[in-house]
Amino acid sequence: MSHSHDLPQQEKLKPKPKAVIVGGSIAGVSCAHALIRAGFVVIEKSRKPPKGSPTGAGLSLDPLSQELIRSWTGRPELLRDITCPLAIDLNQAIDDEKTRKILARDDHFNHRAAHWATLHDHLFTALPPEIFLWGHLFLSFSVSNDKQSVKMKAQVLDTGETTKVCGDLLIAADGCLSLIRNHFLPNVKPRYSGYCAWRGVFDFSGSEDSETIKNVREAHPELGKCLYLDLAPGNHTVLYEIPNKRLNWIWYLNQPEPDLQGNSVTTKVSDDMIQKMYQDAEKIWHPALVQLMRETKEPFINAIYDCDPLEQIVWDNVVLIGDAAHPTTPHSSRSTNMSILDAAVLGWCLEKSGLKNLTAALEEYQSIRLPVASKQVLHARQVGRIKQGLVLPDCKPFNPNTATQEECKMLLQRGVPFFGQNPFLRSSDLLLAGKR
């Protein structure tokens, strides 16, 4: 970006365009980074400051996301410190005798594993603190008659009073159950996948030499650089290491849609549910993994949803990004990576076109991201149905113990459309945005 002393006097006096972001998740804070670099003033509306969840979740960052985060924070060395390598993508079948066989393996996976809360904090602390409006609960919004501005109404939780925040652009980063998306697309409803996920993060700091960890490492000798996926008929598990001596595990199991309360896809679990989970796990999984599950504090259940791809993610000066734009199942490691790339592409389009051409910038963002995200959402859906042995339109349900080599190719994350590519836009353009 140009320095102010290079600008004509009238340019110096012009106020910066203002963007209002609703949602303080990784999509929201990524968007704040990208838009500040594009010359926008950013106001981020959040209910409360982020706080690391004791349960939280692990995630996998692809190489482009890693590059973008490094360019935003200005502390490239820190990202390496808060992530672990995921060099191997390994899918294995497990039979009734708990014997494993390799179904598909990729030794050039080149992702890195992070804990959600740690990555969020890394992005959040690199932003100017004054952009955040804490304790503001989103209520509604309206676009001006001339389509030049947008007004967001929020409730100040401390006082109960209503306040208005105005901007040139409203960015909906309010997640897979987005209220802003629902305003434009009231008939778009989340689609239940047919399965839920038990998940947990096991902290083994101070117990590195315990019997449990020794057994887990013996059963998973490449832990620390490998994404392990074990498949049994109608089930699969995921296990990988994340920084600060923690192991992230997930068990997907087919079941009817749970009765969810409120605006959340996480269900409350009782002690009885947890005990039953342990008992069921013993029938299917390797004893080392079952012991890890038993010793994990506060395991929880996520119901897995996605949406059919949207036909539109831009309306006037309102734009959807992240899970608001493309709720997806987690089987292709795309949710966080798509959110980060959405933010970067939006920032690039806005910097290129400027506020005068806001409509053109948002249309370009939509034309770049919509086809890619749509294909990735549908691919992740298909992979989830394959791994869970659910009905597929064009072939018989997948059975890991009888699968052919050809059938197993779909298991690898390398099969996701545009894996390792950035179609319609060169990665160098995104990384240079904001530096001109």
Side-chain angles (χ1 to χ4, degrees):
M1 285 173 59
S2 303
H3 295 289
S4 59
H5 57 254
D6 298 327
L7 296 172
Q9 188 60 34
Q10 64 268 30
E11 286 288 307
K12 288 186 194 177
L13 298 174
K14 262 176 37 178
K16 283 186 172 185
K18 186 186 287 182
V20 181
I21 302 172
V22 174
S25 192
I26 285 175
V29 292
S30 296
C31 212
H33 278 287
L35 265 68
I36 287 169
R37 287 174 63 126
F40 274 67
V41 174
V42 173
I43 298 171
E44 209 291 315
K45 187 289 311 166
S46 286
R47 190 185 177 98
K48 58 186 177 184
K51 215 166 89 173
S53 160
T55 49
L59 55 89
S60 169
L61 291 173
D62 67 23
L64 180 55
S65 291
Q66 296 168 41
E67 280 298 306
L68 289 166
I69 291 167
R70 288 187 195 105
S71 74
W72 290 338
T73 63
R75 301 289 302 278
E77 73 289 350
L78 277 184
L79 185 63
R80 190 161 192 85
D81 294 343
I82 63 163
T83 56
C84 286
L86 283 179
I88 304 164
D89 177 11
L90 178 60
N91 290 256
Q92 306 174 109
I94 185 165
D95 62 20
D96 293 342
E97 276 72 52
K98 313 291 193 294
T99 304
R100 293 189 179 113
K101 71 169 182 182
I102 293 176
L103 298 174
R105 178 179 172 121
D106 178 2
D107 285 291
H108 304 283
F109 187 43
N110 201 20
H111 283 48
R112 292 191 74 83
H115 189 266
W116 188 96
T118 308
L119 180 65
H120 186 280
D121 186 63
H122 178 62
L123 286 162
F124 170 75
T125 52
L127 287 167
E130 67 274 7
I131 72 173
F132 292 90
L133 296 177
W134 298 128
H136 283 59
L137 179 64
F138 171 80
L139 297 174
S140 63
F141 71 93
S142 59
V143 177
S144 63
N145 291 334
D146 63 2
K147 315 293 188 192
Q148 297 299 302
S149 66
V150 64
K151 193 178 288 177
M152 193 271 292
K153 194 184 287 186
Q155 182 183 32
V156 183
L157 294 175
D158 281 351
T159 63
E161 65 186 1
T162 300
T163 187
K164 290 175 182 172
V165 182
C166 297
D168 302 293
L169 173 63
L170 179 66
I171 298 169
D174 53 341
C176 62
L177 302 176
S178 170
L179 296 173
I180 296 173
R181 183 186 70 228
N182 192 57
H183 171 90
F184 293 109
L185 302 169
N187 296 322
V188 169
K189 302 298 179 194
R191 183 204 69 98
Y192 178 58
S193 63
Y195 49 93
C196 289
W198 275 100
R199 60 191 312 169
V201 174
F202 180 75
D203 185 341
F204 63 92
S205 53
S207 58
E208 294 93 325
D209 299 323
S210 69
E211 204 63 31
T212 299
I213 291 300
K214 282 180 182 171
N215 291 340
V216 169
R217 291 208 181 280
E218 190 178 326
H220 306 85
E222 294 175 292
L223 207 54
K225 62 178 180 178
C226 183
L227 179 69
Y228 277 96
L229 297 103
D230 280 3
L231 287 82
N235 296 265
H236 76 284
T237 57
V238 181
L239 176 68
Y240 56 95
E241 189 167 346
I242 55 178
N244 298 326
K245 303 192 188 304
R246 290 172 293 182
L247 297 175
N248 184 73
W249 62 265
I250 310 167
W251 172 17
Y252 297 99
L253 63 168
N254 298 339
Q255 64 180 71
E257 184 174 1
D259 181 21
L260 297 175
Q261 303 297 317
N263 202 37
S264 172
V265 294
T266 301
T267 69
K268 286 209 160 48
V269 296
S270 65
D271 288 343
D272 287 348
M273 290 167 70
I274 293 172
Q275 290 304 318
K276 183 176 186 315
M277 183 265 286
Y278 297 153
Q279 290 160 15
D280 291 345
E282 280 175 352
K283 298 169 192 168
I284 308 171
W285 304 118
H286 192 284
L289 181 60
V290 177
Q291 189 60 28
L292 188 70
M293 292 174 172
R294 282 186 172 277
E295 293 186 20
T296 298
K297 292 176 182 171
E298 298 179 41
F300 61 102
I301 297 179
N302 268 9
I304 306 300
Y305 290 87
D306 67 6
C307 273
D308 289 334
L310 306 182
E311 293 180 6
Q312 189 175 351
I313 51 174
V314 166
W315 294 264
D316 299 319
N317 47 358
V318 181
V319 56
L320 308 182
I321 74 155
D323 286 344
H326 37 68
T328 184
T329 59
H331 311 295
S332 299
S333 296
R334 295 316 306 155
S335 177
T336 299
N337 289 300
M338 282 198 283
S339 298
I340 290 167
L341 192 47
D342 285 348
V345 172
L346 181 60
W348 180 83
C349 292
L350 289 168
E351 183 179 19
K352 191 174 76 137
S353 298
L355 188 61
K356 279 185 183 171
N357 299 305
L358 184 62
T359 300
L362 296 183
E363 283 177 358
E364 184 173 21
Y365 161 77
Q366 178 172 265
S367 71
I368 290 171
R369 291 303 296 146
L370 204 51
V372 176
S374 298
K375 285 192 174 180
Q376 293 184 341
V377 166
L378 292 176
H379 179 86
R381 177 185 295 184
Q382 185 180 15
V383 170
R385 293 192 72 79
I386 289 171
K387 291 185 175 181
Q388 289 301 111
L390 294 167
V391 174
L392 294 161
D394 49 357
C395 57
K396 65 183 189 298
F398 180 82
N399 182 333
N401 293 317
T402 58
T404 64
Q405 203 171 359
E406 191 61 32
E407 287 178 298
C408 293
K409 277 185 183 171
M410 272 293 286
L411 302 176
L412 291 175
Q413 302 212 29
R414 185 169 293 280
V416 72
F418 312 112
F419 181 88
Q421 304 167 10
N422 184 32
F424 313 121
L425 200 59
R426 290 176 308 176
S427 302
S428 55
D429 291 331
L430 294 176
L431 293 168
L432 286 168
K435 292 182 181 177
R436 285 187 280 278

